[in-house]
Amino acid sequence: MSGGKKGQKLQTYTIRREPSDCKLTAMKLYKTTIGILLQNNTGVYIIPEDWDILVNRKDLYGYLSKQTKNNQKVTPDVFGELLKHDLFAPIGTQEVWAAGVTYLRSRDARMEESKESGGATFYDKVYIADRPELFFKALPQRVVGDHQEVNIRRDSTWNVPEPELTLYINSFGEIQGYTIGNDMSSRSIEGENPLYLPQAKSYERSAALGPCLYVPQHPISRDTLISISIKRFGEEVFKDSIQLNRMKRELTELSGYLYRELDFPAGCYLMTGTGMVPGNDFTLKVGDVVAITIEGIGTLTNTIAMR
Ligand code: DO4
Ligand code: MG
């Protein structure tokens, strides 16, 4: 034990915390069938605003922390039911973009799947290049929310989910919030030829976001844990986890490149790449349930379907 000279009586202080002193450290925005809900440490409130206008601001956290006083409150029971059955993806008119090969595991998996095509070298190079891989993933109508189905393609034989921390970046290029993303991918199509990437990545219901937009007071910690679990007929067939600090790049580096020559009037979403890829013998099947958890944000659960 340290502090205080020998024999000296140590003075102790008790800090009394009133409920109003409690610092709000994070807000969560849910898009539901009854409107936008804001959850903070005092409850859940209805925010009667347009999604794009609400989220696209310079200090989203500051704005949200002033909202709750005059807003209608939602009871925990009603909120619980809405979370189970009535959530939309937390998105308005924003485009969804994605970064690739930001973790070593993604680079290695891609190099393996493309070795026959001779495309492996591109993944190797982009992992160490200054310029990151960024690609267009989805328009909002192709994005599903929590507890909705994501698709695998009929013409693909090898399919995986990609669990990714996803950024909400405002129109000024500033990261204002985070959500969980599933960048559904066809490994057989991308592996055949890297030029097929748009077909491997973009198709109906190929992206999931949710369950909420998480708006913390400070940038998300690099120690944040991202985990995935895949269940088939109720049995876990794959699980893995990784910390955000294993990502090769800074989050602001990715957003900076994306905004270099693109404007996003309502901001945009950016999936930041996967650090977890199941082994080569694994492919998703219809009915599999994919649950992705990111510390602080929650869990995004989707069932695999096919058109
Ligand atoms: O290079 C292709 C896509 C990579 C990707 O989606 C990822 O690393 O997450
Ligand atoms: Mg990805």
Side-chain angles (χ1 to χ4, degrees):
M1 199 167 148
S2 64
K5 289 196 192 100
K6 210 173 167 209
Q8 187 186 332
K9 203 171 165 218
L10 286 174
Q11 204 172 356
T12 57
Y13 297 91
T14 311
I15 299 167
R16 239 184 88 226
R17 265 192 200 285
E18 299 297 337
S20 57
D21 289 341
C22 293
K23 285 273 172 286
L24 302 175
T25 51
M27 312 269 173
K28 289 182 178 180
L29 284 174
Y30 292 87
K31 204 171 174 191
T32 76
T33 49
I34 64 160
I36 299 169
L37 302 182
L38 167 62
Q39 183 184 32
N40 67 17
N41 61 354
T42 67
V44 179
Y45 305 83
I46 298 180
I47 306 289
E49 292 190 37
D50 172 80
W51 181 269
D52 289 356
I53 296 171
L54 173 65
V55 297
N56 184 29
R57 55 187 70 244
K58 273 187 156 291
D59 178 14
L60 180 56
Y61 177 86
Y63 181 79
L64 294 179
S65 52
K66 292 192 206 105
Q67 288 309 298
T68 53
K69 282 200 187 75
N70 302 315
N71 289 75
Q72 192 188 330
K73 221 169 170 176
V74 173
T75 66
D77 285 355
V78 170
F79 183 53
E81 284 304 305
L82 289 168
L83 290 186
K84 275 191 251 165
H85 309 292
D86 297 298
L87 279 188
F88 297 118
I91 190 170
T93 64
Q94 291 82 18
E95 296 172 15
V96 180
W97 283 71
V101 197
T102 51
Y103 294 82
L104 207 54
R105 175 69 189 119
S106 177
R107 184 202 72 173
D108 292 347
R110 255 107 203 163
M111 287 179 75
E112 272 178 50
E113 79 199 12
S114 63
K115 60 177 181 247
E116 304 259 296
S117 74
T121 178
F122 295 109
Y123 299 101
D124 203 13
K125 284 185 175 142
V126 82
Y127 184 71
I128 53 169
D130 281 345
R131 184 188 291 274
E133 177 196 2
L134 295 174
F135 59 92
F136 177 72
K137 175 68 184 176
L139 290 171
Q141 74 262 22
R142 303 219 166 84
V143 180
V144 304
D146 190 32
H147 289 116
Q148 295 174 359
E149 290 177 341
V150 283
N151 282 349
I152 49 177
R153 293 181 62 120
R154 272 188 185 279
D155 58 358
S156 166
T157 54
W158 191 12
N159 304 288
V160 287
E162 293 189 357
E164 306 191 10
L165 175 73
T166 301
L167 314 176
Y168 169 68
I169 311 164
N170 67 14
S171 56
F172 306 97
E174 301 157 340
I175 299 167
Q176 294 295 314
Y178 309 87
T179 186
I180 303 172
N182 180 352
D183 170 25
M184 290 288 293
S185 300
S186 162
R187 293 189 74 184
S188 51
I189 295 177
E190 185 185 339
E192 193 178 331
N193 189 324
L195 295 179
Y196 293 153
L197 186 78
Q199 295 175 73
K201 294 288 189 177
S202 299
Y203 54 89
E204 296 305 326
R205 305 179 87 89
S206 65
L209 293 180
C212 62
L213 179 62
Y214 170 70
V215 185
Q217 191 171 11
H218 303 291
I220 199 162
S221 162
R222 291 285 291 190
D223 293 339
T224 299
L225 193 70
I226 307 173
S227 326
I228 183 168
S229 159
I230 306 176
K231 288 192 174 157
R232 185 166 296 159
F233 302 119
E235 298 268 311
E236 194 165 66
V237 288
F238 177 73
K239 73 167 180 177
D240 202 357
S241 57
I242 196 165
Q243 275 180 305
L244 188 57
N245 56 27
R246 301 273 300 281
M247 188 192 285
K248 167 102 187 340
R249 299 184 186 263
E250 296 296 324
L251 300 177
T252 48
E253 182 186 344
L254 299 175
S255 59
Y257 267 96
L258 183 61
Y259 276 64
R260 274 190 174 187
E261 294 291 339
L262 283 173
D263 293 333
F264 297 99
C268 82
Y269 284 86
L270 176 58
M271 294 177 165
T272 58
T274 186
M276 292 170 274
V277 183
N280 291 353
D281 53 348
F282 180 90
T283 187
L284 285 169
K285 293 203 167 120
V286 169
D288 286 355
V289 179
V290 178
I292 303 170
T293 301
I294 301 187
E295 264 179 322
I297 307 180
T299 300
L300 170 68
T301 305
N302 299 101
T303 302
I304 303 301
M306 197 187 261
R307 296 214 293 167

